[in-house]
Amino acid sequence: MTSTAEPELGRARLRKEDARLLTGRTRWTDNLVLPGMLHLAVLRSPVAHARITAVDTTEARRMSGVRAVFTGRDLADVQGSLPCAWPVTEDMLAPAAPPLAVDEVRFAGEAVAVVVARSAAEARDALDAIDVDYADLPVVLDLESAAAPDSPPVHADLGTNRSATWTFDSAEAGTGGDVERALAEAEVRIDRTFRQQRLVPAFMEPRSVVVDPTGEQTTVWSATQVPHILRLMLAMSLGVPETKIRVIAPDVGGGFGGKLQVTPEEVLTFVVARELGRPVKWTETRSESMVSAHHGRDQVQKLSLAARRDGTVTGLKVELLADMGAYLRLVTPGVPILGAFMFNGIYKFPAYHFSCTNVFTTKTPTDAYRGAGRPEATFAIERMMDELAAELGTDPLELRRRNWIGHEEFPFDTVAGLTYDSGNYEAATARAEELFGYQELRAEQRRRREGGDPVQLGIGVSTFTEMCGLAPSRVLGSLSYGAGGWEHAAIRVLPTGKVEVVTGTSPHGQGHVTAWSQLVADRLGVPFEDVEVLHGDTQSSPRGLDTYGSRSLAVGGVAVVEAADKVVAKAKRIAAHLLECAEDDVEFDAGSFGVRGTGRGVALGEVALAAFAAHDLPDGVEPNLDAEASYDPENFSFPHGTHLCAVEVDTETGRVGIRSYVCVDDIGTVVNPMIAEGQVHGGLAQGIAQALYEEAVHDEEGTLTTGTLAEYLVPSAVDLPDFVTDRTETRATSNPLGVKGVGEAGTIASTPAVVGAVVDALRHLGVRDVPMPCSPQRVWRAISGARESAATAPEAGGGLGSTRGDAR
């Protein structure tokens, strides 16, 4: 039999999910209304660091509609401590993290009391009637100062702000040589310091949670990326049997890592609902989200790169300070550690050393944000390669060619201890150069410089790879991560021939329902429309590890396919029995089982009905046509690509405009090109936003001054260029689908391409770096500073020929 149906793999299907979302027929958590439901509002500290000396809730309790008011002391014995699942070192200092502050607040925005009322408005109104007395303590804001031995401690009982120091050394690990020797013997050495600013995930849907304690189980609806992990952590943190908790993630409006969390508000709503025996809802305001939902990035990166005069790199040393904020949230300490394996990028460094010190400050806690450690690493190594190219007077693309892993060298064991399974950096770069018009733009750049044009052209390059498909479990275990990396799926072929897919991944905009339907339609030979995907409910999908780290397709999608293959294997045995032939004589194609060399056959739906009826099954075969699979990959997957950006910089005003942006990504096998393209576009927007627009800024008292979208600049579509995108394809060898992941690629690659372009436009003026975001003011200051330095510095000092310096 030969199939004539168009394969679903690689087909640009419109997403099944979108019709419901676009027409407003959604299941957002905040849409839920339960009988007798109360509303919770949170009072937050206006100060960054203080002792709580008194809390008076008398007036609030008397206000209309108020049913209860709780302080930290009221809940101290039942609220537990928020979990941290990643103890990166054995001696890591991890302070208690109460959901509701009891004696002390450590960041502006920390919860100090909650009001429960008949309506959300009444609950919020009552917050103003709570009187809290604070005794100020020293604020600790600057990351480098916080790490100093004489810094005031954020947690007095710890006596230090240093939580942990994690190191990797290639000589000790046996993956490379001695980096100190490489630096000492270097013909060229580049020393730079970069600053990764603090960012806010700024997801579209505010966080929301509803808890109903009135049934046999306590049911939690939450706008979360991690319903399975949330269920487990609630049980472990609060001592409630896991069997008595059901967590549902309904439609979730974006996350970007910002909802990869067990939040104070989820715990508080859970505890308060059980205390009152009534359903309780909490939904944050946008300003609450900005100050209390975890932030991302926030690092000081000190790098030293050794090379020969011909441009061959010989060593890389990385020293990080990473801001944890006031507490360790779910995976906070591990986020910067993920970057340890990516600072070497696509390059063949013979020696490497990485060190990261995690530091407490009196700011909102940090945690995963799209890319989680890998954008920070990619930014640093790509900027360092630009600096080396400038020092040597070499084209930055040519320098990269001299050092990257050739396509014939895969699989390649890196100096950081990973094995890159496949890739072709040459093909992606050649295609990007062609689409970009690289040489023509370089020629235009020379003309503008020679003509003294006030608007200069800059060209930025980012040739990147990333580790994604967060797994394997054994690797995560070696890093002391508190969970595995496997994923689970189940396939049920119903008596009518329709198919239900149960997945442990939990989408929040990625298009899993569509992509999983395509995978199963191809594997089982059923119509795309006949596949239903169930997710995000620990009752219907009891096993899973959820969605983050570009793991859904490379891990969860493979689990779906393996479950489908098990269905086919079982159905083949039943079909052979029905057709009265040997199982080896049965062929499966396009949803039908046929006897080889004959015209006899039976459709999958007929087999499913026979399995359901169970009137005539082979001995030992259970009724039903269901199967489950858990998949734990042996390796990460490694998408890669080349991103090229051209910017125009007005040297008189500092204004930066993106003239063109081209990216060619290799993400392995593509299930749905339309979804992949959307992921790339969204990722580019966030990476460009870090480069040019976004920064969470605190004043000297620790107050977030960018606490609304009026001050925190999130770009809209009109602020972004038209992107030119394309793909090359080298299949991953680490999974049977050959897929690699795409959810974070655009964010990881785009930031260094844009900042590199800004610096490239101004390098001939003496500018070696512009701190992110590259706002007009910062660009203008960098230009002015370079001109002043050139006017006052001795002829031989501090110019572009210097191989040592601080890029800040």
Side-chain angles (χ1 to χ4, degrees):
M1 297 187 298
T2 303
S3 173
T4 58
E6 180 184 351
E8 290 291 341
L9 192 68
R11 188 174 178 183
R13 282 276 194 183
L14 291 174
R15 301 197 322 175
K16 285 184 173 182
E17 304 91 323
D18 287 352
R20 186 184 76 255
L21 296 172
L22 293 172
T23 57
R25 298 169 66 184
T26 52
R27 299 186 300 268
W28 308 124
T29 303
D30 191 44
N31 289 351
L32 292 171
V33 178
L34 302 180
M37 186 173 72
L38 301 173
H39 295 261
L40 183 145
V42 181
L43 181 69
R44 302 188 182 277
S45 169
V47 298
H49 197 194
R51 284 191 302 274
I52 300 172
T53 58
V55 183
D56 187 351
T57 62
T58 305
E59 290 301 318
R61 294 176 189 275
R62 294 172 178 166
M63 292 187 66
S64 174
V66 172
R67 292 292 180 262
V69 181
F70 296 97
T71 67
R73 289 199 175 278
D74 296 329
L75 300 180
D77 295 334
V78 294
Q79 67 175 340
S81 181
L82 293 167
C84 174
W86 203 336
V88 293
T89 65
E90 291 183 0
D91 61 351
M92 184 182 82
L93 300 180
L100 202 59
V102 179
D103 299 310
E104 192 171 321
V105 293
R106 294 180 174 89
F107 68 95
E110 185 168 1
V112 295
V114 296
V115 172
V116 186
R118 291 178 306 181
S119 70
E122 288 172 319
R124 286 193 292 268
D125 286 346
L127 295 179
D128 293 334
I130 300 175
D131 188 14
V132 183
D133 291 335
Y134 298 99
D136 289 341
L137 294 169
V139 295
V140 182
L141 302 173
D142 179 75
L143 187 50
E144 292 177 284
S145 298
D150 59 350
S151 173
V154 176
H155 298 272
D157 56 323
L158 301 183
T160 177
N161 292 323
R162 292 175 174 244
S163 173
T165 297
W166 190 94
T167 61
F168 177 91
D169 188 272
S170 62
E172 295 177 1
T175 59
D178 180 3
V179 77
E180 294 299 341
R181 180 176 179 179
L183 290 169
E185 296 177 353
E187 296 175 358
V188 179
R189 172 172 171 161
I190 307 290
D191 295 288
R192 296 289 185 268
T193 300
F194 302 115
R195 187 71 168 92
Q196 283 278 325
Q197 79 269 38
R198 177 175 280 247
L199 300 176
V200 176
F203 31 74
M204 184 178 292
E205 177 207 16
R207 296 173 301 157
S208 182
V209 59
V210 175
V211 178
D212 183 2
T214 60
E216 290 297 315
Q217 292 177 306
T218 297
T219 302
V220 180
W221 291 265
S222 182
T224 180
Q225 296 176 220
V226 288
H228 296 91
I229 292 174
L230 176 58
R231 181 194 190 204
L232 174 63
M233 292 293 104
L234 286 173
M236 294 179 68
S237 300
L238 299 176
V240 178
E242 191 176 357
T243 56
K244 295 299 182 182
I245 302 174
R246 176 185 182 184
V247 175
I248 301 170
D251 292 324
V252 178
F256 313 120
K259 293 174 182 173
L260 168 54
Q261 196 56 262
V262 177
T263 69
E265 296 83 8
E266 286 167 329
V267 174
L268 289 172
T269 308
F270 187 94
V271 168
V272 166
R274 286 171 65 90
E275 288 281 317
L276 300 178
R278 297 271 295 276
V280 175
K281 177 194 287 187
W282 170 80
T283 300
E284 69 182 351
T285 65
R286 178 61 63 182
S287 57
E288 273 189 294
S289 181
M290 300 292 282
V291 74
S292 62
H294 76 245
H295 294 171
R297 312 284 193 258
D298 208 346
Q299 294 180 3
V300 173
Q301 306 172 311
K302 295 183 179 181
L303 291 92
S304 298
L305 185 149
R308 294 198 290 264
R309 274 287 163 191
D310 66 1
T312 304
V313 296
T314 58
L316 179 67
K317 182 177 182 180
V318 179
E319 296 175 287
L320 298 186
L321 289 178
D323 194 342
M324 304 289 96
Y327 300 98
L328 302 180
R329 294 302 194 222
L330 191 62
V331 294
T332 302
V335 168
I337 307 307
L338 287 174
F341 305 99
M342 288 285 101
F343 272 89
N344 53 290
I346 66 172
Y347 309 113
K348 294 183 285 188
F349 280 97
Y352 174 57
H353 178 87
F354 173 92
S355 175
C356 176
T357 298
N358 291 339
V359 181
F360 293 114
T361 61
T362 52
K363 290 183 282 188
T364 303
T366 59
D367 210 302
Y369 175 57
R370 198 171 191 170
R374 291 149 298 158
E376 298 92 312
T378 300
F379 177 86
I381 188 56
E382 289 304 287
R383 290 286 294 111
M384 289 298 280
M385 296 301 283
D386 285 345
E387 293 299 297
L388 178 59
E391 165 63 22
L392 299 175
T394 303
D395 181 87
L397 267 180
E398 176 57 31
L399 179 74
R400 287 164 167 82
R401 287 190 181 94
R402 294 178 193 176
N403 289 286
W404 68 35
I405 303 158
H407 70 276
E408 72 283 354
E409 297 179 85
F410 290 97
F412 186 87
D413 295 331
T414 76
V415 73
L418 297 180
T419 298
Y420 294 175
D421 65 316
S422 68
N424 191 329
Y425 309 138
E426 302 97 311
T429 301
R431 181 60 176 154
E433 279 189 278
E434 177 188 355
L435 293 171
F436 191 64
Y438 185 80
Q439 297 303 330
E440 293 84 351
L441 285 168
R442 284 292 183 200
E444 180 184 343
Q445 182 184 56
R446 289 191 292 272
R447 292 193 298 271
R448 289 201 188 192
R449 288 183 177 179
E450 292 167 359
D453 193 326
V455 178
Q456 288 291 306
L457 180 66
I459 298 170
V461 177
S462 176
T463 51
F464 85 105
T465 189
E466 59 156 322
M467 53 184 280
C468 65
L470 194 61
S473 296
R474 290 182 180 181
V475 174
L476 295 176
S478 72
L479 296 173
S480 301
Y481 183 64
W486 53 268
E487 195 47 78
H488 187 79
I491 305 287
R492 301 194 288 253
V493 184
L494 305 179
T496 56
K498 309 298 183 182
V499 180
E500 288 181 337
V501 179
V502 182
T503 177
T505 65
S506 185
H508 42 282
Q510 291 87 348
H512 294 181
V513 170
T514 301
W516 286 199
S517 295
Q518 291 181 268
L519 289 172
V520 171
D522 265 356
R523 221 67 178 191
L524 298 184
V526 299
F528 169 80
E529 296 77 14
D530 286 355
V531 182
E532 190 76 20
V533 179
L534 309 177
H535 60 81
D537 184 341
T538 62
Q539 194 93 309
S540 61
S541 174
R543 299 182 185 90
L545 285 171
D546 306 317
T547 295
Y548 42 85
S550 297
R551 69 186 301 273
S552 292
L553 180 58
V555 188
V558 175
V560 168
V561 167
E562 290 193 346
D565 288 346
K566 288 182 178 181
V567 165
V568 172
K570 180 176 181 180
K572 187 176 182 181
R573 185 178 177 189
I574 298 173
H577 181 75
L578 296 175
L579 295 168
E580 299 179 331
C581 67
E583 189 174 339
D584 289 344
D585 290 334
V586 176
E587 297 177 318
F588 177 68
D589 183 65
S592 294
F593 297 88
V595 182
R596 186 179 294 108
T598 75
R600 294 190 301 129
V602 61
L604 178 67
E606 296 175 84
V607 176
L609 183 58
F612 168 76
H615 295 163
D616 184 21
L617 292 179
D619 292 339
V621 173
E622 296 179 353
N624 73 58
L625 198 50
D626 303 349
E628 298 186 15
S630 290
Y631 175 68
D632 196 347
E634 296 181 357
N635 195 6
F636 299 101
S637 63
F638 298 95
H640 68 83
T642 297
H643 289 225
L644 301 174
C645 177
V647 302
E648 293 181 318
V649 181
D650 190 325
T651 60
E652 296 177 346
T653 66
R655 183 184 181 277
V656 176
I658 297 179
R659 174 167 150 178
S660 61
Y661 196 103
V662 168
C663 63
V664 177
D665 290 296
D666 188 328
I667 57 175
T669 303
V670 176
V671 174
N672 186 314
M674 186 179 299
I675 290 177
E677 187 83 353
Q679 288 279 18
V680 170
H681 278 220
L684 293 176
Q686 287 184 284
I688 291 170
Q690 177 174 9
L692 297 181
Y693 300 104
E694 295 187 25
E695 182 177 22
V697 179
H698 293 80
D699 64 19
E700 60 185 12
E701 295 180 347
T703 302
L704 184 69
T705 61
T706 51
T708 73
L709 293 180
E711 302 89 17
Y712 187 85
L713 303 182
V714 176
S716 68
V718 299
D719 300 305
L720 298 169
D722 290 332
F723 305 124
V724 177
T725 64
D726 202 356
R727 289 187 300 274
T728 56
E729 182 178 319
T730 54
R731 285 176 56 89
T733 63
S734 56
N735 64 75
L737 284 177
V739 297
K740 293 184 177 181
V742 68
E744 297 162 303
T747 301
I748 291 169
S750 56
T751 306
V754 176
V755 175
V758 173
V759 175
D760 183 62
L762 306 175
R763 193 177 290 278
H764 67 295
L765 302 177
V767 175
R768 287 195 311 202
D769 190 49
V770 178
M772 294 188 290
C774 300
S775 64
Q777 184 182 58
R778 285 183 172 167
V779 172
W780 184 86
R781 284 179 175 174
I783 296 169
S784 300
R787 287 172 174 164
E788 291 173 7
S789 297
T792 59
E795 184 175 343
L800 292 180
S802 173
T803 61
R804 299 175 185 270
D806 188 319
R808 284 191 294 166

